[in-house]
Amino acid sequence: MDYRYAMDWVYIEDISKFIDKEVEIRGWLFNKRSGGGIKFLLIRDGTGIIQGVATENGTEPESFSLIDELNQEGSIIVKGKVREDSRAPAGYELAIHSIQVVHNQEGYPLTPKHHGVDFLLQNRHLWIRSKKQWTVLRIRAEIIKGAEDYLWERGFLKMDAPIFTPSACEGTTTLFEVDYFGEPVYLSQSGQLYNEATCMAFGKVYCFGPTFRAEKSKTRRHLTEFWMLEPEMAYAHLDDAIKLAEGMVDYVVHRVLDKRKREFETLERDTTHLESIRAPFPCIRYEEAVKRVNELGKSMEFGEDFGAPEETALAESFDSPFMVTHFPQGVKAFYMRKEPGDTGATLSFDLLAPEGYGEIIGGGEREFSVEKLKDEIKKRDLPKDAFGWYLDLRKYGSVPHSGFGLGIERMVAWICGIKHIRQTIPFPRMLGRVYP
Ligand code: 4AD
Ligand code: MG
């Protein structure tokens, strides 16, 4: 049999290869209905949903009658013949011959009726089986694979960064402290500082892992645990990081649209914006962005970071992803290289998604002078000893280097058209939520 694992059952996502063949599907009952002596089962197996049709003549009598007792999310093994049928939801259906019940139960909490979001989050371990959540998380997986492939194809090596860290990368106000055998250490806010070490050893690297920020406000853009993909390149400037970032976003968007067409249909996502994306993206300096925000009727002073409403307004005023560059020192981290000529700006950039989504990537060029870096660490009152190794990178063969971090959940929210970031990760961690 032409099948990848030589298993004795098939997956719904491959069903088109089995037209007019007898197959076995192993899955769960998604929903059922009956009419005119015919019983319709929606069966899901993790890779898709197929409609099964049971009839008195075509289905083994015992199986036909047990369908009445089958409940939502009961696990079943179904045998039948695959038929092409344009009326069926996915273009195929299964003429059911027999059903074996693996586990049937009553009272699945998430019925097809409407539930409130707190209840759904409390049952997140089950909610991920529902159609929309399942669809979003499949797109998420494709986004991650696409972004990693993009980097691998360009010679980047994946170098994992540690999670327990002795120092802060992104400011000290959002650190999670952990007791490390009596010593305080912090959960990583970003793998960047370690990428800077590995890129001096391997040239082009990236890390991908969970990152942590003790965000004490509830917003639709913030999680306390989120996943970041962070490339870093030696001998690279701000422009190189920008090119890599926009190329990656362009590549990932088109690849996901291509590979996950059906998922976008399920989400009823209007993909017009996404389809028209082409790098290079518009790029404005911070000062211009501030001006624009004020013209859009929001008020913002030069020197401030964008607040949520300002970021939204700015991101609504573009219909393609865009970049804001050269943020002032005051709103960026200690490691940012200063713009030559004492402008007070840094060689930094954010990439923002349109439709009001806002920042999905932050990055820039890193300071490579040991003296300037020492000054900055002192100015910001950061613990000098914890950065000894980091300063070493500037003492031994220091070179210009640049990189960025892509927030996976922000990217998923934008691509899927999801309002709140909590639906873009299997198990969201937010202020007030660590269950399940
Ligand atoms: O802009 P950030 O803070 O940049 C860094 O951490 C750099 N050290 C990355 C680097 O240059 N290697 O975070 C990068 C991205 C943001 O653009 C955003 O997409 C995401 O991480 N992000 C969050 N996503 C969800 N919840 C949060 N609390 C987030 N904070 C940042
Ligand atoms: Mg940022």
Side-chain angles (χ1 to χ4, degrees):
M1 188 193 277
D2 167 29
Y3 202 65
R4 53 181 137 160
Y5 307 122
M7 282 173 171
D8 25 6
W9 74 92
V10 305
Y11 284 100
I12 294 168
E13 67 182 350
D14 299 324
I15 212 72
S16 62
K17 296 181 198 146
F18 296 93
I19 296 164
D20 295 330
K21 298 231 162 60
E22 296 288 328
V23 299
E24 177 176 313
I25 288 174
R26 300 185 175 186
W28 295 264
L29 180 69
F30 193 67
N31 210 340
K32 65 173 183 184
R33 66 186 167 87
S34 56
I38 304 177
K39 297 173 185 174
F40 298 95
L41 306 186
L42 283 181
I43 306 153
R44 64 166 197 89
D45 75 344
T47 73
I49 295 178
I50 192 166
Q51 173 166 278
V53 183
T55 56
E56 213 150 357
N57 292 335
T59 310
E60 198 181 82
E62 210 180 309
S63 298
F64 190 72
S65 61
L66 71 76
I67 291 174
D68 299 333
E69 270 96 72
L70 263 185
N71 291 314
Q72 188 191 350
E73 288 303 318
S75 38
I76 45 178
I77 296 178
V78 185
K79 290 186 177 152
K81 193 170 183 176
V82 180
R83 288 197 299 234
E84 211 166 357
D85 186 334
S86 56
R87 290 162 308 171
Y92 305 95
E93 63 175 27
L94 189 70
I96 298 177
H97 297 157
S98 70
I99 300 179
Q100 181 195 333
V101 177
V102 179
H103 181 224
N104 191 26
Q105 75 288 308
E106 273 174 44
Y108 184 70
L110 304 185
T111 54
K113 73 164 196 181
H114 177 78
H115 298 284
V117 73
D118 281 337
F119 179 80
L120 291 169
L121 284 168
Q122 196 67 6
N123 287 285
R124 183 66 178 166
H125 52 299
L126 304 174
W127 190 22
I128 52 179
R129 301 182 188 188
S130 75
K131 208 164 178 179
K132 180 170 173 192
Q133 303 308 310
W134 173 85
T135 302
V136 169
L137 294 176
R138 274 171 67 91
I139 293 176
R140 174 191 168 103
E142 187 61 48
I143 289 172
I144 294 170
K145 181 75 169 72
E148 289 201 62
D149 283 353
Y150 178 83
L151 293 173
W152 272 98
E153 279 160 20
R154 281 157 186 76
F156 285 74
L157 286 191
K158 185 175 188 169
M159 285 290 147
D160 303 311
I163 301 296
F164 289 134
T165 62
S167 52
C169 180
E170 296 298 323
T172 50
T173 57
T174 61
L175 284 172
F176 276 114
E177 194 176 305
V178 179
D179 175 17
Y180 193 75
F181 307 112
E183 292 288 318
V185 301
Y186 310 103
L187 298 182
S188 176
Q189 295 169 310
S190 159
Q192 179 199 319
L193 305 186
Y194 296 93
N195 277 346
E196 292 183 55
T198 54
C199 89
M200 299 304 162
F202 301 95
K204 289 179 280 186
V205 299
Y206 74 96
C207 65
F208 177 54
T211 44
F212 305 85
R213 307 226 179 143
E215 305 278 2
K216 293 199 189 71
S217 57
K218 284 191 184 172
T219 83
R220 64 183 175 89
R221 292 194 177 98
H222 290 91
L223 295 166
T224 55
E225 179 178 312
F226 61 97
W227 287 68
M228 212 192 323
L229 184 83
E230 299 179 86
E232 192 75 27
M233 303 173 279
Y235 286 106
H237 294 285
L238 173 63
D239 283 357
D240 302 303
I242 288 178
K243 273 199 197 105
L244 187 74
E246 60 190 2
M248 178 192 265
V249 170
D250 179 324
Y251 173 84
V252 171
V253 165
H254 290 290
R255 170 164 156 163
V256 174
L257 285 175
D258 181 45
K259 295 214 173 197
R260 291 283 178 247
K261 263 198 192 84
R262 185 160 298 151
E263 281 80 352
F264 285 104
E265 282 162 25
T266 302
L267 292 178
E268 295 175 8
R269 167 76 166 127
D270 177 0
T271 55
T272 326
H273 274 110
L274 297 173
E275 274 150 27
S276 62
I277 280 172
R278 291 278 172 279
F281 303 146
C283 188
I284 56 174
R285 278 183 72 109
Y286 167 85
E287 351 5 332
E288 200 182 323
V290 172
K291 205 172 122 216
R292 198 159 169 147
V293 163
N294 284 290
E295 283 164 6
L296 288 164
K298 304 276 172 219
S299 91
M300 177 183 173
E301 303 269 326
F302 184 91
E304 288 176 355
D305 205 352
F306 303 112
E310 291 77 32
E311 187 175 335
T312 303
L314 186 64
E316 276 168 352
S317 74
F318 281 85
D319 52 15
S320 135
F322 63 101
M323 265 92 52
V324 178
T325 66
H326 301 89
F327 285 81
Q329 283 160 34
V331 302
K332 288 292 176 190
F334 75 98
Y335 53 72
M336 289 287 186
R337 192 176 162 207
K338 292 171 191 46
E339 185 178 34
D342 267 337
T343 60
T346 56
L347 298 179
S348 55
F349 79 103
D350 279 3
L351 190 153
L352 290 87
E355 301 175 68
Y357 279 93
E359 179 189 348
I360 58 173
I361 285 179
E365 191 165 332
R366 325 306 187 184
E367 186 53 71
F368 58 86
S369 140
V370 75
E371 293 311 325
K372 285 188 187 160
L373 206 47
K374 272 187 186 161
D375 281 354
E376 205 57 41
I377 288 172
K378 201 165 157 199
K379 228 193 277 171
R380 296 184 189 228
D381 215 12
L382 296 169
K384 200 170 111 258
D385 294 345
F387 289 106
W389 67 272
Y390 188 68
L391 293 169
D392 271 357
L393 303 174
R394 278 71 180 169
K395 286 186 198 154
Y396 308 111
S398 190
V399 300
H401 59 291
S402 301
F404 63 83
L406 164 69
I408 291 296
E409 292 76 18
R410 299 259 186 105
M411 178 87 164
V412 175
W414 164 50
I415 290 185
C416 293
I418 300 285
K419 279 264 146 18
H420 200 295
I421 198 167
R422 65 190 164 210
Q423 294 185 31
T424 62
I425 183 167
F427 296 97
R429 298 292 177 245
M430 298 169 290
L431 188 66
R433 173 157 305 279
V434 283
Y435 180 94

